[in-house]
């Protein structure tokens, strides 16, 4: 058998995989992001060495904590696993019976996790499922379009374990209390605050605002391997780490992932290379101008709904002119030799968003030609 490293072409041919242009952003269904070469080299090194894993977990966590100026940190397998283990850690603390029998023990322990109703989302899986896996019982505060401090305060009782705040574009944005307001409530009642900040770009602000545990995806803004990062108060992180002996065992991350994300965080903090929103605008402007020459199509720049410095191209399809709905166009864009994926959240409004962070100018030309062929009847 050949020992040569497979080429990109080999991978696509061997497994009969379709090439993808990712205009949807840092999405799990497409593999999220592409790490820098330094991260890939670190992953390779990690794969080929042995470590005392507990020591690796502790020492890399200490290193990350120093980089970010936080009390404690740990690398986990993904952000959703971080939510599960955060909830479980705050419920079980250092109780070994609960650690080993989280879902079967009949011992009384507080289990309620308060979540603003507008944050009870499906991010690819339900937030409520992550809470339940961690042994918690989710309690919704406020309404789908409104959550004020008093809505959360009215639900706090002896069974309350923590408040979970989800910072995401998936969530309702209007009439929601802020992380800082939520942290003030948590401090007032001496209960922990968990912030799910999976796709967020600032690795310090939520901790600084008062989160006891802040959870990030390692493969999104940080552009590491598939992984997650949890930072926060020392004891809360230590309780979470104990879950490797319980519910966290099937969620364990390998040595290569731990080292790869640690390197990615180091680069993210010391040598950031991400595009600014204005750079994204410059890259997509010729693409938008070309789209606006097509009948039944209008395109413009829109900014991230959750306030991140991300610009996208919003493309509106007039079904009465084109003869196809946005939903139909979305599916047709995925067909053929190259599949193009957009952000599909506005499809019911006849629109899609193109996220250009992982798209080259050449690929934008391919996307334009494919849209033109589909909408102008050339396909």
């Amino acid at each position: 058998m050949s020992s040569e490293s497979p080429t990109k072409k080999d991978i696509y041919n061997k497994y009969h995989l379709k090439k993808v242009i990712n205009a949807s952003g840092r999405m799990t269904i497409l593999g999220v992001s592409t790490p820098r070469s330094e991260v890939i080299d670190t992953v390779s090194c990690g794969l080929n060495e042995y470590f005392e894993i507990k020591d690796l977990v502790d020492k890399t966590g200490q290193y990350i904590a120093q980089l970010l100026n936080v009390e404690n940190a740990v690398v986990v397998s993904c952000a959703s696993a971080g939510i599960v283990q955060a909830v479980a850690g705050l419920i079980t603390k250092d109780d070994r019976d609960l650690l080993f029998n989280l879902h079967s023990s009949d011992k009384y322990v507080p289990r309620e996790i308060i979540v603003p109703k507008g944050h009870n989302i499906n991010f690819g899986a339900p937030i409520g499922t992550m809470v339940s896996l961690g042994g918690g019982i989710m309690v919704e505060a406020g309404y789908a379009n409104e959550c004020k401090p008093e809505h959360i305060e009215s639900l706090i009782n002896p069974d309350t374990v923590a408040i979970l705040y989800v910072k995401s574009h998936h969530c309702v944005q209007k009439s929601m209390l802020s992380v800082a307001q939520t942290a003030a409530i948590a401090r007032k009642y001496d209960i922990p605050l968990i912030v799910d900040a999976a796709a967020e770009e600032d690795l310090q602000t939520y901790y600084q605002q008062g989160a006891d545990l802040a959870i990030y995806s390692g493969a999104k803004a940080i552009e590491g391997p598939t992984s997650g990062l949890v930072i926060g108060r020392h004891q809360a992180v230590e309780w979470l780490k104990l879950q490797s002996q319980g519910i966290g065992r099937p969620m364990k991350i390998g040595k290569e992932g731990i080292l790869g994300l640690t390197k990615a965080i180091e680069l993210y903090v010391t040598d950031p290379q991400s595009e600014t929103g204005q750079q994204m605008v410059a890259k997509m402007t010729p693409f938008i101008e070309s789209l606006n020459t097509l009948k039944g199509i209008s395109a413009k720049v829109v900014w991230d709904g959750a306030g991140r410095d991300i610009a996208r191209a919003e493309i509106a399809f007039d079904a009465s002119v084109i003869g196809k709905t946005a939903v139909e166009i979305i599916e047709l864009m995925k067909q053929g030799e190259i599949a193009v994926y957009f952000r599909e959240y506005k499809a019911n409004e006849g629109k899609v968003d193109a996220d250009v962070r992982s798209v080259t100018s050449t690929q934008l030309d391919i996307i334009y030609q494919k849209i033109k062929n589909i909408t102008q009847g050339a396909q």
Side-chain angles (χ1 to χ4, degrees):
M1 182 179 291
S2 173
S3 61
E4 292 182 8
S5 298
T7 65
K8 183 165 62 174
K9 185 177 179 180
D10 292 335
I11 295 292
Y12 283 105
N13 290 342
K14 181 175 182 178
Y15 301 113
H16 307 290
L17 298 172
K18 184 180 293 188
K19 293 183 179 179
V20 172
I21 294 177
N22 177 13
S24 65
R26 307 286 166 75
M27 305 298 281
T28 300
I29 61 167
L30 299 178
V32 195
S33 65
T34 50
R36 288 160 62 170
S37 59
E38 300 97 319
V39 175
I40 295 169
D41 290 343
T42 303
V43 168
S44 179
C45 178
L47 283 167
N48 288 285
E49 299 294 334
Y50 293 99
F51 308 90
E52 295 175 335
I53 296 301
K54 184 180 184 304
D55 192 48
L56 180 66
V57 169
D58 289 342
K59 298 290 177 55
T60 53
Q62 291 168 14
Y63 183 77
I64 293 167
Q66 291 172 355
L67 281 173
L68 300 180
N69 195 28
V70 300
E71 287 183 23
N72 207 347
V74 63
V75 176
V76 293
S77 60
C78 60
S80 53
I83 298 170
V84 174
Q85 293 175 87
V87 170
L90 293 175
I91 290 172
T92 66
K93 297 183 171 63
D94 54 7
D95 186 314
R96 293 285 165 162
D97 173 51
L98 288 171
L99 175 64
F100 300 142
N101 302 285
L102 178 62
H103 291 284
S104 59
S105 174
D106 58 4
K107 179 183 294 185
Y108 166 75
V109 63
R111 291 181 181 264
E112 291 185 1
I113 308 293
I114 299 174
V115 180
K117 189 178 183 70
H119 292 189
N120 183 9
I121 59 168
N122 187 320
F123 57 88
I127 281 286
T129 296
M130 303 306 112
V131 172
S132 296
L133 277 172
I137 299 169
M138 189 168 70
V139 179
E140 293 182 337
Y143 307 94
N145 65 338
E146 179 185 61
C147 186
K148 297 180 178 180
E150 54 264 37
H151 293 140
I152 290 179
E153 290 192 72
S154 69
L155 295 173
I156 294 172
N157 67 83
D159 288 327
T160 302
V161 176
I163 303 169
L164 171 60
Y165 190 106
V166 182
K167 183 66 178 175
S168 170
H169 67 279
H170 290 294
C171 296
V172 174
Q173 302 298 323
K174 64 180 182 179
S175 301
M176 289 287 153
L177 76 174
S178 66
V179 171
Q181 287 176 304
T182 311
I185 298 168
R187 285 194 300 270
K188 177 179 177 181
Y189 291 91
D190 195 25
I191 54 177
L193 170 63
I194 305 168
V195 175
D196 169 21
E200 291 297 297
E201 299 175 330
D202 192 321
L203 302 185
Q204 296 170 303
T205 187
Y206 304 116
Y207 171 84
Q208 292 168 347
Q209 290 177 34
D212 296 272
L213 293 168
I215 303 165
Y216 298 86
S217 168
K220 291 185 178 175
I222 305 169
E223 294 190 303
T226 299
S227 56
L229 169 67
V230 183
I231 63 171
R233 309 303 167 192
H234 179 79
Q235 186 60 74
V237 173
E238 291 301 307
W239 285 333
L240 183 152
K241 286 160 64 175
L242 282 176
Q243 294 304 311
S244 64
Q245 302 170 52
I247 194 74
R249 177 67 177 185
M251 306 172 193
K252 64 179 180 289
I253 183 169
K255 55 190 179 176
E256 70 281 0
I258 295 170
L259 288 165
L261 180 60
T262 304
K263 183 62 177 180
I265 293 168
E266 178 186 327
L267 293 171
Y268 188 77
V269 172
T270 62
D271 185 26
Q273 293 186 348
S274 59
E275 285 182 292
T276 66
Q278 288 302 325
Q279 288 172 324
M280 296 173 205
V281 171
K283 182 165 68 174
M284 73 175 76
T285 295
F287 172 66
I288 289 173
E289 290 174 347
S290 296
L291 287 173
N292 283 327
T293 67
L294 301 177
K295 291 182 179 179
I297 295 177
S298 60
K300 65 180 181 180
V301 172
V302 294
W303 292 87
D304 180 67
R308 295 172 294 174
D309 185 30
I310 301 171
R312 302 187 178 98
E314 181 187 84
I315 309 167
F317 301 101
D318 187 337
S320 66
V321 174
I322 297 169
K324 296 181 180 72
T325 67
V327 172
E328 291 171 326
I329 292 169
I330 285 168
E331 292 308 309
L332 289 168
M333 291 293 291
K334 296 174 185 176
Q335 306 305 312
E337 183 180 346
I338 300 176
V340 175
Y341 278 75
F342 293 121
R343 298 174 73 82
E344 303 174 4
Y345 306 118
K346 304 174 185 174
N348 63 315
E349 302 174 31
K351 303 173 184 176
V352 297
D353 283 354
D355 189 310
V356 300
R357 285 177 293 171
S358 300
V359 183
T360 65
S361 297
T362 299
Q363 288 175 326
L364 284 173
D365 290 339
I366 294 171
I367 295 172
Y368 165 75
Q369 288 297 333
K370 192 158 187 171
I371 291 174
K372 181 179 179 181
N373 290 342
I374 289 171
T375 61
Q376 308 303 308
Q379 180 162 308

